[in-house]
């Protein structure tokens, strides 16, 4: 029974990660420029801060294999554990840090509506802070596209579940 639950969870996560990866793929109609990785010094600062709050950032080979399996660049597993690839772009780092905060704050509580709302909130956070976070033009355009996709997914979720109340992002 536990094995079935694990398989269901794995399948759900795999579908979510693949969907997110697809959203951030090259369907923006522009050529993807060189990566905008977070610098080693910035990553060290972020890691020290996250560790001081009880968190752990993992960049080992096993973590990279997991990211490869799901076809993603980074992942917040919960409020305290984040997996990153080496030379991860800065948008991915800050997105996962924000997701970790959302887990801690109880915003992400399931793989349905709360997850979709959290993705929308995160994209707004990245766009609202793009200059401070030093996001590249490509990362901003990719984030804008992801925001539209997540909003469409939330509306589809509402339509599929017969929910007439529509949630709107509010700062």
């Amino acid at each position: 029974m536990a094995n079935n639950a694990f398989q269901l969870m794995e399948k759900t996560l795999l579908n979510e990660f693949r969907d997110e990866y697809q959203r951030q793929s090259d369907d923006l109609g522009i050529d993807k420029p060189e990566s905008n990785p977070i610098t080693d010094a910035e990553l060290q600062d972020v890691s020290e801060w996250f560790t001081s709050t009880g968190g752990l950032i993992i960049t080992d080979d096993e973590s990279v294999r997991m990211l490869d399996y799901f076809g993603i660049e980074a992942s917040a597993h919960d409020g305290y554990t984040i997996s990153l690839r080496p030379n991860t772009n800065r948008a991915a780092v800050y997105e996962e840090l924000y997701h970790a905060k959302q887990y801690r704050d109880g915003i992400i509580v399931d793989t349905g509506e709360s997850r979709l709302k959290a993705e929308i909130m995160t994209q707004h956070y990245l766009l609202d802070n793009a200059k401070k976070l030093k996001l590249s033009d490509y990362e901003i355009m990719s984030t804008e596209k992801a925001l539209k996709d997540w909003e469409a997914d939330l509306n589809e979720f509402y339509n599929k579940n017969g929910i007439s109340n529509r949630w709107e992002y509010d700062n």
Side-chain angles (χ1 to χ4, degrees):
M1 185 155 127
N3 193 29
N4 289 342
F6 176 77
Q7 288 174 342
L8 178 61
M9 180 189 73
E10 182 180 42
K11 182 179 178 185
T12 301
L13 288 173
L14 178 61
N15 289 338
E16 282 185 21
F17 288 142
R18 283 187 179 151
D19 288 348
E20 181 159 351
Y21 179 77
Q22 188 63 40
R23 272 189 242 328
Q24 295 180 14
S25 69
D26 294 326
D27 63 350
L28 293 173
I30 61 170
D31 292 331
K32 186 173 180 179
E34 299 226 0
S35 179
N36 183 25
I38 193 164
T39 67
D40 290 340
E42 290 169 317
L43 184 57
Q44 181 67 31
D45 288 344
V46 166
S47 294
E48 287 175 6
W49 169 82
F50 194 60
T51 301
S52 76
T53 68
L56 176 65
I57 295 178
I58 306 169
T59 59
D60 64 8
D61 291 343
E62 183 176 339
S63 183
V64 171
R65 280 193 298 277
M66 183 272 306
L67 295 170
D68 286 343
Y69 176 78
F70 288 112
I72 57 176
E73 188 166 356
S75 176
H77 305 286
D78 55 34
Y80 299 93
T81 312
I82 296 174
S83 290
L84 298 177
R85 292 180 180 280
N87 299 316
T88 301
N89 74 52
R90 61 185 56 253
V93 172
Y94 292 115
E95 179 173 354
E96 300 313 323
L97 285 167
Y98 200 78
H99 284 319
K101 179 185 181 322
Q102 291 172 319
Y103 276 113
R104 290 179 184 189
D105 292 345
I107 293 169
I108 300 175
V109 295
D110 59 33
T111 58
E113 183 181 20
S114 76
R115 181 69 171 175
L116 295 169
K117 288 178 179 179
E119 290 292 353
I120 292 167
M121 293 166 63
T122 301
Q123 304 315 306
H124 277 286
Y125 166 78
L126 292 172
L127 292 170
D128 292 346
N129 294 283
K131 187 173 184 174
K132 180 172 87 174
L133 300 174
K134 302 177 191 171
L135 302 186
S136 69
D137 289 343
Y138 178 80
E139 287 170 313
I140 292 168
M141 288 179 10
S142 181
T143 301
E144 289 169 341
K145 172 142 183 19
L147 174 60
K148 289 177 186 172
D149 290 344
W150 286 119
E151 289 172 335
D153 286 354
L154 181 60
N155 283 328
E156 181 181 326
F157 173 86
Y158 286 146
N159 290 335
K160 186 166 81 171
N161 291 291
I163 299 172
S164 60
N165 273 2
R166 299 297 187 196
W167 176 80
E168 292 185 27
Y169 172 74
D170 188 28
N171 283 338

